[in-house]
Amino acid sequence: MLCIPAATAVHSLGYESSKIAERGGFMIDRKTLRLSAVLLAVGFIFYVVVGLLHAGGPANNHPVVFGIYASSASWTAVHLGQFVGMAVIIAGLLVLYFALDIRAGGAAWVARLGAVSAAVALGLYAVLQAVDGVALKQVVDAWASARRRRRRPASPALRRFDGWSGAPGAIRASCLVSP
């Protein structure tokens, strides 16, 4: 295998030395590296700011915290914002993968694994936000509606959340409310 030093490759391709730096036998595109840093920083700041808007309360006091969740008008928007922040962070990691341009050896395989793992993590995070931001909102709205009408929820899961059952709750059943 023929290896050409990065400095020679940079000169032969007509790139300015200020745009690409040589480091350890691979080239780094500084513009792309800067874009990665901006995406990571903006995504993190956005995620934190949106997270501050998240409604909260005593996590194990279900009647109180579900009432807070049910009265939150921005619940779904906050979770969408959290997903967008995470997507920007993952985009920053993927841009970093391309900025480093590692093509050979064990480091290249680790970089590929990192890029694939980042994409998979984003998919899993989308599922989490869909469950927490959409499904949970529907469940707590049905729960709050049942409480306002002074009826017990038809769903065993909702009864568990409401404290009518001693078992710790989890969303396992539909959120239908008895008529």
Side-chain angles (χ1 to χ4, degrees):
M1 175 180 232
L2 179 64
C3 293
I4 300 173
T8 305
V10 168
H11 181 67
S12 67
L13 292 174
Y15 290 110
E16 297 176 24
S17 60
S18 64
K19 291 185 179 178
I20 297 181
E22 179 183 354
R23 181 175 174 179
F26 60 90
M27 296 183 291
I28 299 172
D29 181 354
R30 290 184 187 196
K31 271 185 158 176
T32 311
L33 190 62
R34 194 171 301 121
L35 174 63
S36 172
V38 168
L39 287 171
L40 287 167
V42 168
F44 177 75
I45 291 168
F46 185 76
Y47 184 86
V48 168
V49 168
V50 170
L52 293 173
L53 302 173
H54 193 283
N60 290 323
N61 189 347
H62 295 135
V64 172
V65 78
F66 285 179
I68 294 169
Y69 293 171
S71 66
S72 175
S74 63
W75 184 262
T76 302
V78 166
H79 287 84
L80 180 62
Q82 286 178 323
F83 175 74
V84 168
M86 187 58 66
V88 172
I89 291 170
I90 298 295
L93 290 173
L94 293 175
V95 169
L96 178 63
Y97 166 75
F98 289 108
L100 295 179
D101 195 27
I102 302 171
R103 296 182 185 187
W109 284 104
V110 171
R112 288 183 197 112
L113 177 64
V116 169
S117 296
V120 169
L122 183 60
L124 292 172
Y125 195 71
V127 171
L128 169 73
Q129 293 303 337
V131 168
D132 194 24
V134 178
L136 180 62
K137 178 64 172 159
Q138 291 176 356
V139 169
V140 297
D141 286 348
W143 176 86
S145 174
R147 283 187 65 93
R148 279 192 301 273
R149 292 182 298 184
R150 300 276 185 200
R151 293 187 180 156
R152 293 176 64 143
S155 164
L158 291 175
R159 275 185 255 143
R160 267 188 229 105
F161 280 137
D162 197 28
W164 286 318
S165 169
I171 301 174
R172 294 185 195 144
S174 68
C175 55
L176 298 175
V177 178
S178 61

